[in-house]
Amino acid sequence: MDCVFCRIVAGTIPATVVKRSDDAVAFRDLDPRAPSHVLVIPTRHVPAVRSARGAEGEQLLGRLMTFAADVASELGLDIGGYRIVTNTGPDAGQSVDHLHLHVLGGRKLGWPPG
Ligand code: DGP
């Protein structure tokens, strides 16, 4: 499987990693849309949130969400606030088919997203 985020997990392409655990990695987005823009991904290849189902999916998504909140805290975003979002499928504009949470903060964020 040729997946750019699997390559980042493996360390075969570079990324600015801000936090790592056994089952998740957080790294800075290549095309940041906010002063702080980090992606949180599972180390295991899961295509999207729609494929993380059942008890295993529930555990994975829970861990990713708490990991993302830890990342946001470590980036100093707790007071100003931040947004965690995941794009799923073409209408949402998902461009990398490896589940990822965007953590965005450091500026006022518009709502709803475009
Ligand atoms: P999405 O559109 O939700 O699938 O977001 C994918 C994000 O991944 C997008 O904001 C750009 C980022 N991205 C794509 N390729 C790379 C890469 O090789 N390195 C890093 N750091 N980010 C990437």
Side-chain angles (χ1 to χ4, degrees), residues 1-73:
M1 157 117 17
D2 191 24
C3 167
V4 66
F5 287 177
C6 285
R7 288 183 180 211
I8 287 174
V9 170
T12 57
I13 65 169
T16 305
V17 172
V18 298
K19 191 175 179 69
R20 186 185 281 275
S21 72
D22 283 347
D23 51 15
V25 180
F27 55 93
R28 297 207 180 265
D29 195 291
L30 201 59
D31 181 22
R33 301 307 175 102
S36 291
H37 186 173
V38 166
L39 301 173
V40 170
I41 67 169
T43 53
R44 179 166 68 83
H45 185 84
V46 175
V49 72
R50 65 180 169 218
S51 37
R53 308 309 271 267
E56 202 181 330
E58 189 175 320
Q59 187 185 42
L60 173 70
L61 293 174
R63 288 166 82 113
L64 283 182
M65 197 58 121
T66 54
F67 187 86
D70 289 344
V71 168
S73 290

Short mmCIF file of all heavy atoms in Angstrom, two decimals, residues 1-73:
data_model
loop_
_atom_site.label_atom_id
_atom_site.label_comp_id
_atom_site.label_asym_id
_atom_site.label_seq_id
_atom_site.Cartn_x
_atom_site.Cartn_y
_atom_site.Cartn_z
N MET A 1 0.86 -1.21 0.00
CA MET A 1 0.00 0.00 0.00
C MET A 1 0.88 1.24 0.00
O MET A 1 1.75 1.39 0.85
CB MET A 1 -0.90 -0.03 1.23
CG MET A 1 -1.41 1.34 1.65
SD MET A 1 -3.15 1.64 1.59
CE MET A 1 -3.89 0.05 1.51
N ASP A 2 0.66 2.12 -1.00
CA ASP A 2 1.46 3.32 -1.07
C ASP A 2 0.67 4.47 -0.44
O ASP A 2 -0.14 5.10 -1.10
CB ASP A 2 1.82 3.62 -2.53
CG ASP A 2 2.87 4.70 -2.63
OD1 ASP A 2 3.62 4.88 -1.64
OD2 ASP A 2 2.93 5.37 -3.67
N CYS A 3 0.92 4.70 0.83
CA CYS A 3 0.16 5.72 1.57
C CYS A 3 1.16 6.69 2.18
O CYS A 3 2.07 6.29 2.91
CB CYS A 3 -0.67 5.04 2.66
SG CYS A 3 -1.34 6.19 3.88
N VAL A 4 0.99 7.98 1.87
CA VAL A 4 1.94 8.99 2.33
C VAL A 4 1.99 9.05 3.87
O VAL A 4 3.07 9.22 4.46
CB VAL A 4 1.64 10.36 1.68
CG1 VAL A 4 0.32 10.92 2.14
CG2 VAL A 4 2.75 11.36 1.94
N PHE A 5 0.85 8.87 4.52
CA PHE A 5 0.86 8.95 5.99
C PHE A 5 1.48 7.68 6.61
O PHE A 5 2.13 7.77 7.66
CB PHE A 5 -0.54 9.22 6.53
CG PHE A 5 -1.02 10.64 6.30
CD1 PHE A 5 -2.31 11.02 6.68
CD2 PHE A 5 -0.22 11.60 5.70
CE1 PHE A 5 -2.76 12.32 6.47
CE2 PHE A 5 -0.66 12.90 5.47
CZ PHE A 5 -1.94 13.26 5.86
N CYS A 6 1.33 6.53 5.95
CA CYS A 6 2.04 5.33 6.42
C CYS A 6 3.54 5.54 6.30
O CYS A 6 4.32 5.10 7.16
CB CYS A 6 1.61 4.09 5.63
SG CYS A 6 -0.03 3.47 6.09
N ARG A 7 3.95 6.25 5.27
CA ARG A 7 5.39 6.55 5.11
C ARG A 7 5.88 7.49 6.19
O ARG A 7 7.02 7.36 6.66
CB ARG A 7 5.65 7.16 3.74
CG ARG A 7 5.52 6.16 2.62
CD ARG A 7 5.86 6.82 1.32
NE ARG A 7 5.75 5.89 0.22
CZ ARG A 7 6.50 5.95 -0.87
NH1 ARG A 7 7.42 6.88 -0.98
NH2 ARG A 7 6.32 5.10 -1.83
N ILE A 8 5.05 8.43 6.59
CA ILE A 8 5.43 9.33 7.70
C ILE A 8 5.56 8.51 8.99
O ILE A 8 6.52 8.68 9.74
CB ILE A 8 4.43 10.49 7.82
CG1 ILE A 8 4.66 11.47 6.66
CG2 ILE A 8 4.57 11.19 9.18
CD1 ILE A 8 3.65 12.60 6.56
N VAL A 9 4.61 7.60 9.23
CA VAL A 9 4.70 6.73 10.41
C VAL A 9 6.01 5.95 10.38
O VAL A 9 6.70 5.83 11.40
CB VAL A 9 3.49 5.75 10.47
CG1 VAL A 9 3.70 4.70 11.56
CG2 VAL A 9 2.19 6.52 10.73
N ALA A 10 6.35 5.41 9.21
CA ALA A 10 7.56 4.59 9.08
C ALA A 10 8.83 5.42 9.10
O ALA A 10 9.93 4.88 9.25
CB ALA A 10 7.48 3.78 7.79
N GLY A 11 8.69 6.75 8.91
CA GLY A 11 9.87 7.62 8.91
C GLY A 11 10.60 7.65 7.58
O GLY A 11 11.73 8.14 7.51
N THR A 12 9.96 7.15 6.53
CA THR A 12 10.63 7.13 5.22
C THR A 12 10.42 8.42 4.44
O THR A 12 11.10 8.66 3.45
CB THR A 12 10.21 5.92 4.37
OG1 THR A 12 8.79 5.94 4.20
CG2 THR A 12 10.62 4.62 5.03
N ILE A 13 9.45 9.25 4.85
CA ILE A 13 9.43 10.63 4.37
C ILE A 13 9.37 11.54 5.59
O ILE A 13 8.80 11.19 6.62
CB ILE A 13 8.30 10.94 3.36
CG1 ILE A 13 6.91 10.81 3.97
CG2 ILE A 13 8.40 10.09 2.12
CD1 ILE A 13 5.84 11.37 3.05
N PRO A 14 9.99 12.71 5.50
CA PRO A 14 10.11 13.56 6.68
C PRO A 14 8.81 14.27 7.04
O PRO A 14 7.97 14.55 6.18
CB PRO A 14 11.18 14.59 6.26
CG PRO A 14 11.16 14.60 4.78
CD PRO A 14 10.67 13.27 4.31
N ALA A 15 8.65 14.52 8.32
CA ALA A 15 7.53 15.32 8.82
C ALA A 15 7.98 15.92 10.14
O ALA A 15 8.87 15.38 10.81
CB ALA A 15 6.29 14.46 9.02
N THR A 16 7.36 17.04 10.49
CA THR A 16 7.66 17.66 11.79
C THR A 16 6.73 17.03 12.83
O THR A 16 5.58 17.45 13.00
CB THR A 16 7.47 19.18 11.71
OG1 THR A 16 8.28 19.67 10.65
CG2 THR A 16 7.90 19.85 13.01
N VAL A 17 7.23 15.99 13.47
CA VAL A 17 6.43 15.25 14.45
C VAL A 17 6.42 16.02 15.76
O VAL A 17 7.47 16.44 16.26
CB VAL A 17 7.00 13.82 14.64
CG1 VAL A 17 6.31 13.10 15.79
CG2 VAL A 17 6.85 13.02 13.34
N VAL A 18 5.22 16.23 16.31
CA VAL A 18 5.11 16.95 17.58
C VAL A 18 4.79 16.02 18.75
O VAL A 18 5.01 16.38 19.91
CB VAL A 18 4.10 18.12 17.52
CG1 VAL A 18 4.53 19.15 16.50
CG2 VAL A 18 2.69 17.65 17.22
N LYS A 19 4.25 14.83 18.46
CA LYS A 19 3.94 13.88 19.53
C LYS A 19 3.76 12.50 18.91
O LYS A 19 3.25 12.37 17.80
CB LYS A 19 2.65 14.31 20.25
CG LYS A 19 2.37 13.55 21.56
CD LYS A 19 1.12 14.14 22.25
CE LYS A 19 0.80 13.39 23.55
NZ LYS A 19 1.81 13.60 24.60
N ARG A 20 4.17 11.49 19.66
CA ARG A 20 4.08 10.12 19.15
C ARG A 20 3.73 9.19 20.29
O ARG A 20 4.20 9.37 21.42
CB ARG A 20 5.45 9.75 18.56
CG ARG A 20 5.52 8.42 17.85
CD ARG A 20 6.95 8.14 17.43
NE ARG A 20 7.37 8.84 16.23
CZ ARG A 20 7.16 8.41 14.98
NH1 ARG A 20 6.53 7.28 14.78
NH2 ARG A 20 7.59 9.10 13.95
N SER A 21 2.90 8.19 20.01
CA SER A 21 2.63 7.13 20.98
C SER A 21 2.71 5.81 20.20
O SER A 21 3.00 5.81 19.00
CB SER A 21 1.26 7.30 21.64
OG SER A 21 0.23 6.98 20.72
N ASP A 22 2.40 4.72 20.88
CA ASP A 22 2.45 3.42 20.19
C ASP A 22 1.44 3.37 19.04
O ASP A 22 1.71 2.75 18.01
CB ASP A 22 2.12 2.28 21.16
CG ASP A 22 3.30 1.98 22.06
OD1 ASP A 22 4.41 2.46 21.75
OD2 ASP A 22 3.11 1.27 23.06
N ASP A 23 0.30 4.03 19.21
CA ASP A 23 -0.74 3.88 18.18
C ASP A 23 -1.14 5.18 17.49
O ASP A 23 -2.07 5.17 16.69
CB ASP A 23 -1.98 3.17 18.75
CG ASP A 23 -2.47 3.80 20.04
OD1 ASP A 23 -2.05 4.93 20.34
OD2 ASP A 23 -3.28 3.16 20.72
N ALA A 24 -0.44 6.28 17.76
CA ALA A 24 -0.79 7.55 17.09
C ALA A 24 0.44 8.42 16.89
O ALA A 24 1.41 8.34 17.65
CB ALA A 24 -1.83 8.31 17.92
N VAL A 25 0.37 9.24 15.85
CA VAL A 25 1.43 10.22 15.57
C VAL A 25 0.77 11.55 15.25
O VAL A 25 -0.26 11.59 14.56
CB VAL A 25 2.32 9.79 14.38
CG1 VAL A 25 3.41 10.81 14.10
CG2 VAL A 25 2.97 8.43 14.61
N ALA A 26 1.35 12.64 15.77
CA ALA A 26 0.89 13.99 15.43
C ALA A 26 2.05 14.72 14.76
O ALA A 26 3.17 14.70 15.26
CB ALA A 26 0.44 14.72 16.69
N PHE A 27 1.75 15.35 13.63
CA PHE A 27 2.77 16.09 12.89
C PHE A 27 2.15 17.30 12.23
O PHE A 27 0.95 17.36 11.99
CB PHE A 27 3.46 15.19 11.84
CG PHE A 27 2.51 14.54 10.87
CD1 PHE A 27 2.21 15.13 9.64
CD2 PHE A 27 1.88 13.34 11.17
CE1 PHE A 27 1.33 14.54 8.75
CE2 PHE A 27 0.98 12.74 10.29
CZ PHE A 27 0.72 13.34 9.08
N ARG A 28 2.99 18.29 11.93
CA ARG A 28 2.50 19.55 11.35
C ARG A 28 2.05 19.34 9.91
O ARG A 28 2.71 18.66 9.13
CB ARG A 28 3.57 20.63 11.45
CG ARG A 28 3.92 20.96 12.89
CD ARG A 28 4.42 22.38 13.08
NE ARG A 28 4.72 22.60 14.50
CZ ARG A 28 3.87 23.15 15.36
NH1 ARG A 28 2.67 23.56 14.97
NH2 ARG A 28 4.21 23.31 16.62
N ASP A 29 0.89 19.94 9.59
CA ASP A 29 0.35 19.86 8.23
C ASP A 29 1.28 20.61 7.27
O ASP A 29 1.81 21.68 7.58
CB ASP A 29 -1.06 20.48 8.20
CG ASP A 29 -1.83 20.11 6.94
OD1 ASP A 29 -1.45 20.58 5.84
OD2 ASP A 29 -2.80 19.34 7.04
N LEU A 30 1.47 20.02 6.09
CA LEU A 30 2.32 20.60 5.05
C LEU A 30 1.77 21.93 4.54
O LEU A 30 2.52 22.79 4.07
CB LEU A 30 2.39 19.59 3.90
CG LEU A 30 3.53 19.64 2.90
CD1 LEU A 30 4.87 19.48 3.60
CD2 LEU A 30 3.34 18.54 1.84
N ASP A 31 0.44 22.09 4.61
CA ASP A 31 -0.24 23.25 4.06
C ASP A 31 -1.12 23.87 5.16
O ASP A 31 -2.35 23.76 5.13
CB ASP A 31 -1.10 22.78 2.86
CG ASP A 31 -1.83 23.92 2.19
OD1 ASP A 31 -1.40 25.09 2.33
OD2 ASP A 31 -2.87 23.65 1.54
N PRO A 32 -0.46 24.51 6.15
CA PRO A 32 -1.22 24.92 7.34
C PRO A 32 -2.26 25.98 7.04
O PRO A 32 -2.01 26.92 6.30
CB PRO A 32 -0.12 25.47 8.28
CG PRO A 32 1.04 25.76 7.41
CD PRO A 32 0.96 24.84 6.23
N ARG A 33 -3.45 25.80 7.63
CA ARG A 33 -4.58 26.73 7.46
C ARG A 33 -4.84 27.55 8.71
O ARG A 33 -5.83 28.27 8.78
CB ARG A 33 -5.84 25.94 7.08
CG ARG A 33 -5.70 25.14 5.80
CD ARG A 33 -5.21 26.02 4.64
NE ARG A 33 -4.96 25.26 3.44
CZ ARG A 33 -5.80 25.21 2.41
NH1 ARG A 33 -6.93 25.87 2.44
NH2 ARG A 33 -5.51 24.50 1.34
N ALA A 34 -3.95 27.43 9.68
CA ALA A 34 -4.05 28.19 10.93
C ALA A 34 -2.63 28.22 11.52
O ALA A 34 -1.78 27.40 11.16
CB ALA A 34 -5.02 27.51 11.89
N PRO A 35 -2.37 29.16 12.44
CA PRO A 35 -1.03 29.23 13.03
C PRO A 35 -0.58 27.89 13.64
O PRO A 35 0.59 27.54 13.57
CB PRO A 35 -1.18 30.32 14.10
CG PRO A 35 -2.26 31.22 13.55
CD PRO A 35 -3.23 30.30 12.87
N SER A 36 -1.52 27.17 14.25
CA SER A 36 -1.25 25.79 14.68
C SER A 36 -2.13 24.87 13.86
O SER A 36 -3.37 24.98 13.92
CB SER A 36 -1.54 25.59 16.17
OG SER A 36 -0.61 26.29 16.95
N HIS A 37 -1.54 23.99 13.08
CA HIS A 37 -2.31 23.04 12.27
C HIS A 37 -1.54 21.72 12.28
O HIS A 37 -0.52 21.58 11.60
CB HIS A 37 -2.50 23.56 10.85
CG HIS A 37 -3.40 22.69 10.01
ND1 HIS A 37 -3.81 23.06 8.75
CD2 HIS A 37 -3.99 21.48 10.25
CE1 HIS A 37 -4.59 22.12 8.24
NE2 HIS A 37 -4.70 21.14 9.14
N VAL A 38 -2.07 20.80 13.07
CA VAL A 38 -1.41 19.51 13.26
C VAL A 38 -2.37 18.41 12.83
O VAL A 38 -3.59 18.53 13.01
CB VAL A 38 -0.99 19.36 14.75
CG1 VAL A 38 -0.62 17.94 15.10
CG2 VAL A 38 0.17 20.31 15.06
N LEU A 39 -1.83 17.35 12.26
CA LEU A 39 -2.63 16.17 11.91
C LEU A 39 -2.34 15.07 12.91
O LEU A 39 -1.17 14.83 13.24
CB LEU A 39 -2.27 15.69 10.50
CG LEU A 39 -2.48 16.71 9.37
CD1 LEU A 39 -1.93 16.15 8.04
CD2 LEU A 39 -3.95 17.07 9.21
N VAL A 40 -3.38 14.41 13.36
CA VAL A 40 -3.24 13.26 14.27
C VAL A 40 -3.72 12.03 13.53
O VAL A 40 -4.86 12.00 13.02
CB VAL A 40 -4.07 13.48 15.55
CG1 VAL A 40 -4.13 12.21 16.39
CG2 VAL A 40 -3.49 14.62 16.37
N ILE A 41 -2.87 11.04 13.43
CA ILE A 41 -3.21 9.83 12.66
C ILE A 41 -2.94 8.57 13.48
O ILE A 41 -2.05 8.56 14.34
CB ILE A 41 -2.40 9.76 11.33
CG1 ILE A 41 -0.91 9.56 11.59
CG2 ILE A 41 -2.63 10.99 10.48
CD1 ILE A 41 -0.11 9.21 10.34
N PRO A 42 -3.68 7.50 13.19
CA PRO A 42 -3.32 6.21 13.79
C PRO A 42 -2.08 5.65 13.08
O PRO A 42 -1.92 5.85 11.87
CB PRO A 42 -4.55 5.34 13.52
CG PRO A 42 -5.22 5.94 12.33
CD PRO A 42 -4.86 7.40 12.31
N THR A 43 -1.24 4.96 13.81
CA THR A 43 -0.06 4.34 13.17
C THR A 43 -0.50 3.22 12.22
O THR A 43 0.15 2.97 11.22
CB THR A 43 0.92 3.78 14.22
OG1 THR A 43 0.21 2.91 15.09
CG2 THR A 43 1.56 4.89 15.03
N ARG A 44 -1.62 2.59 12.54
CA ARG A 44 -2.18 1.53 11.70
C ARG A 44 -2.98 2.17 10.56
O ARG A 44 -3.66 3.17 10.78
CB ARG A 44 -3.10 0.67 12.58
CG ARG A 44 -3.78 -0.47 11.93
CD ARG A 44 -4.36 -1.41 12.98
NE ARG A 44 -5.45 -0.85 13.75
CZ ARG A 44 -6.72 -0.82 13.36
NH1 ARG A 44 -7.07 -1.30 12.19
NH2 ARG A 44 -7.66 -0.32 14.14
N HIS A 45 -2.88 1.61 9.36
CA HIS A 45 -3.62 2.20 8.24
C HIS A 45 -5.12 1.94 8.37
O HIS A 45 -5.58 0.80 8.29
CB HIS A 45 -3.13 1.65 6.89
CG HIS A 45 -3.79 2.33 5.73
ND1 HIS A 45 -3.35 3.53 5.21
CD2 HIS A 45 -4.92 2.02 5.04
CE1 HIS A 45 -4.14 3.91 4.24
NE2 HIS A 45 -5.10 3.01 4.11
N VAL A 46 -5.87 3.02 8.55
CA VAL A 46 -7.34 2.99 8.55
C VAL A 46 -7.73 4.07 7.55
O VAL A 46 -7.28 5.21 7.68
CB VAL A 46 -7.89 3.33 9.96
CG1 VAL A 46 -9.40 3.43 9.95
CG2 VAL A 46 -7.40 2.32 10.99
N PRO A 47 -8.53 3.76 6.53
CA PRO A 47 -8.76 4.73 5.45
C PRO A 47 -9.47 6.01 5.89
O PRO A 47 -9.14 7.09 5.41
CB PRO A 47 -9.59 3.95 4.44
CG PRO A 47 -9.30 2.51 4.71
CD PRO A 47 -9.08 2.42 6.19
N ALA A 48 -10.47 5.89 6.76
CA ALA A 48 -11.25 7.08 7.12
C ALA A 48 -12.10 6.75 8.33
O ALA A 48 -12.19 5.59 8.75
CB ALA A 48 -12.16 7.49 5.95
N VAL A 49 -12.76 7.77 8.87
CA VAL A 49 -13.57 7.55 10.08
C VAL A 49 -14.70 6.57 9.79
O VAL A 49 -15.11 5.81 10.67
CB VAL A 49 -14.07 8.90 10.63
CG1 VAL A 49 -15.15 9.51 9.77
CG2 VAL A 49 -14.54 8.78 12.08
N ARG A 50 -15.19 6.56 8.55
CA ARG A 50 -16.30 5.65 8.22
C ARG A 50 -15.87 4.18 8.29
O ARG A 50 -16.72 3.29 8.32
CB ARG A 50 -16.87 5.98 6.84
CG ARG A 50 -15.90 5.74 5.72
CD ARG A 50 -16.47 6.07 4.35
NE ARG A 50 -15.37 6.05 3.39
CZ ARG A 50 -15.24 6.88 2.39
NH1 ARG A 50 -16.15 7.79 2.17
NH2 ARG A 50 -14.21 6.81 1.57
N SER A 51 -14.55 3.93 8.27
CA SER A 51 -14.09 2.54 8.35
C SER A 51 -13.63 2.17 9.77
O SER A 51 -13.16 1.05 9.98
CB SER A 51 -12.99 2.27 7.31
OG SER A 51 -12.16 3.38 7.15
N ALA A 52 -13.78 3.07 10.71
CA ALA A 52 -13.42 2.77 12.11
C ALA A 52 -14.70 2.47 12.88
O ALA A 52 -15.32 3.38 13.43
CB ALA A 52 -12.68 3.95 12.73
N ARG A 53 -15.12 1.25 12.87
CA ARG A 53 -16.44 0.88 13.42
C ARG A 53 -16.29 -0.19 14.50
O ARG A 53 -15.22 -0.76 14.68
CB ARG A 53 -17.34 0.34 12.29
CG ARG A 53 -17.44 1.24 11.10
CD ARG A 53 -17.80 2.67 11.48
NE ARG A 53 -19.22 2.88 11.51
CZ ARG A 53 -19.93 3.33 10.47
NH1 ARG A 53 -19.34 3.61 9.33
NH2 ARG A 53 -21.22 3.51 10.57
N GLY A 54 -17.41 -0.43 15.17
CA GLY A 54 -17.44 -1.48 16.18
C GLY A 54 -16.59 -1.12 17.38
O GLY A 54 -16.13 0.03 17.54
N ALA A 55 -16.35 -2.10 18.23
CA ALA A 55 -15.63 -1.86 19.49
C ALA A 55 -14.20 -1.39 19.22
O ALA A 55 -13.68 -0.49 19.89
CB ALA A 55 -15.61 -3.13 20.32
N GLU A 56 -13.57 -1.97 18.19
CA GLU A 56 -12.18 -1.59 17.87
C GLU A 56 -12.12 -0.15 17.37
O GLU A 56 -11.23 0.62 17.76
CB GLU A 56 -11.64 -2.55 16.80
CG GLU A 56 -10.14 -2.64 16.75
CD GLU A 56 -9.66 -3.57 15.66
OE1 GLU A 56 -10.39 -4.54 15.33
OE2 GLU A 56 -8.57 -3.33 15.12
N GLY A 57 -13.10 0.21 16.51
CA GLY A 57 -13.16 1.58 16.00
C GLY A 57 -13.42 2.57 17.12
O GLY A 57 -12.84 3.66 17.16
N GLU A 58 -14.31 2.18 18.03
CA GLU A 58 -14.65 3.05 19.15
C GLU A 58 -13.41 3.33 20.01
O GLU A 58 -13.14 4.48 20.39
CB GLU A 58 -15.72 2.35 19.98
CG GLU A 58 -16.34 3.19 21.06
CD GLU A 58 -17.48 2.43 21.73
OE1 GLU A 58 -18.25 1.74 21.05
OE2 GLU A 58 -17.56 2.52 22.96
N GLN A 59 -12.65 2.30 20.25
CA GLN A 59 -11.44 2.46 21.06
C GLN A 59 -10.42 3.33 20.31
O GLN A 59 -9.83 4.25 20.89
CB GLN A 59 -10.83 1.10 21.38
CG GLN A 59 -9.67 1.20 22.35
CD GLN A 59 -9.00 -0.14 22.58
OE1 GLN A 59 -8.78 -0.91 21.65
NE2 GLN A 59 -8.67 -0.42 23.82
N LEU A 60 -10.25 3.07 19.02
CA LEU A 60 -9.28 3.84 18.22
C LEU A 60 -9.66 5.32 18.18
O LEU A 60 -8.83 6.20 18.43
CB LEU A 60 -9.22 3.28 16.80
CG LEU A 60 -8.38 4.09 15.81
CD1 LEU A 60 -6.90 3.98 16.14
CD2 LEU A 60 -8.63 3.66 14.38
N LEU A 61 -10.94 5.60 17.89
CA LEU A 61 -11.37 7.01 17.77
C LEU A 61 -11.29 7.72 19.11
O LEU A 61 -10.90 8.90 19.16
CB LEU A 61 -12.79 7.08 17.20
CG LEU A 61 -12.90 6.62 15.73
CD1 LEU A 61 -14.36 6.60 15.30
CD2 LEU A 61 -12.08 7.49 14.80
N GLY A 62 -11.61 7.03 20.19
CA GLY A 62 -11.49 7.62 21.52
C GLY A 62 -10.04 7.97 21.83
O GLY A 62 -9.74 9.07 22.33
N ARG A 63 -9.17 7.05 21.51
CA ARG A 63 -7.74 7.31 21.79
C ARG A 63 -7.20 8.45 20.94
O ARG A 63 -6.43 9.28 21.41
CB ARG A 63 -6.93 6.03 21.55
CG ARG A 63 -7.17 4.99 22.63
CD ARG A 63 -6.64 3.64 22.20
NE ARG A 63 -5.22 3.53 22.44
CZ ARG A 63 -4.70 2.69 23.32
NH1 ARG A 63 -5.49 1.94 24.06
NH2 ARG A 63 -3.40 2.60 23.48
N LEU A 64 -7.61 8.47 19.66
CA LEU A 64 -7.13 9.55 18.78
C LEU A 64 -7.63 10.91 19.27
O LEU A 64 -6.90 11.90 19.25
CB LEU A 64 -7.62 9.34 17.34
CG LEU A 64 -6.91 8.31 16.49
CD1 LEU A 64 -7.52 8.30 15.09
CD2 LEU A 64 -5.41 8.56 16.40
N MET A 65 -8.88 10.95 19.73
CA MET A 65 -9.45 12.22 20.18
C MET A 65 -8.75 12.72 21.44
O MET A 65 -8.42 13.90 21.54
CB MET A 65 -10.96 12.02 20.41
CG MET A 65 -11.72 13.30 20.48
SD MET A 65 -11.55 14.30 18.98
CE MET A 65 -13.21 14.44 18.46
N THR A 66 -8.51 11.83 22.39
CA THR A 66 -7.83 12.28 23.61
C THR A 66 -6.37 12.63 23.30
O THR A 66 -5.82 13.58 23.87
CB THR A 66 -7.91 11.22 24.74
OG1 THR A 66 -7.43 9.98 24.26
CG2 THR A 66 -9.33 11.04 25.22
N PHE A 67 -5.76 11.90 22.37
CA PHE A 67 -4.39 12.22 21.95
C PHE A 67 -4.36 13.62 21.31
O PHE A 67 -3.47 14.43 21.60
CB PHE A 67 -3.92 11.15 20.96
CG PHE A 67 -2.47 11.24 20.56
CD1 PHE A 67 -1.48 10.62 21.31
CD2 PHE A 67 -2.09 11.90 19.40
CE1 PHE A 67 -0.14 10.68 20.94
CE2 PHE A 67 -0.76 11.97 19.01
CZ PHE A 67 0.22 11.36 19.79
N ALA A 68 -5.37 13.90 20.47
CA ALA A 68 -5.45 15.23 19.82
C ALA A 68 -5.63 16.33 20.86
O ALA A 68 -5.04 17.41 20.74
CB ALA A 68 -6.58 15.24 18.80
N ALA A 69 -6.44 16.07 21.88
CA ALA A 69 -6.64 17.08 22.93
C ALA A 69 -5.33 17.29 23.71
O ALA A 69 -5.01 18.42 24.10
CB ALA A 69 -7.77 16.64 23.86
N ASP A 70 -4.58 16.22 23.93
CA ASP A 70 -3.27 16.37 24.59
C ASP A 70 -2.32 17.21 23.73
O ASP A 70 -1.59 18.07 24.24
CB ASP A 70 -2.63 14.99 24.84
CG ASP A 70 -3.34 14.21 25.94
OD1 ASP A 70 -4.11 14.82 26.71
OD2 ASP A 70 -3.14 12.98 26.01
N VAL A 71 -2.33 16.96 22.42
CA VAL A 71 -1.49 17.74 21.50
C VAL A 71 -1.87 19.22 21.59
O VAL A 71 -1.01 20.10 21.71
CB VAL A 71 -1.64 17.23 20.04
CG1 VAL A 71 -1.02 18.20 19.05
CG2 VAL A 71 -1.02 15.85 19.89
N ALA A 72 -3.18 19.50 21.55
CA ALA A 72 -3.64 20.89 21.60
C ALA A 72 -3.17 21.56 22.89
O ALA A 72 -2.71 22.71 22.87
CB ALA A 72 -5.17 20.94 21.48
N SER A 73 -3.27 20.85 24.00
CA SER A 73 -2.80 21.40 25.28
C SER A 73 -1.31 21.72 25.20
O SER A 73 -0.87 22.80 25.62
CB SER A 73 -3.01 20.40 26.41
OG SER A 73 -4.35 20.26 26.70
#
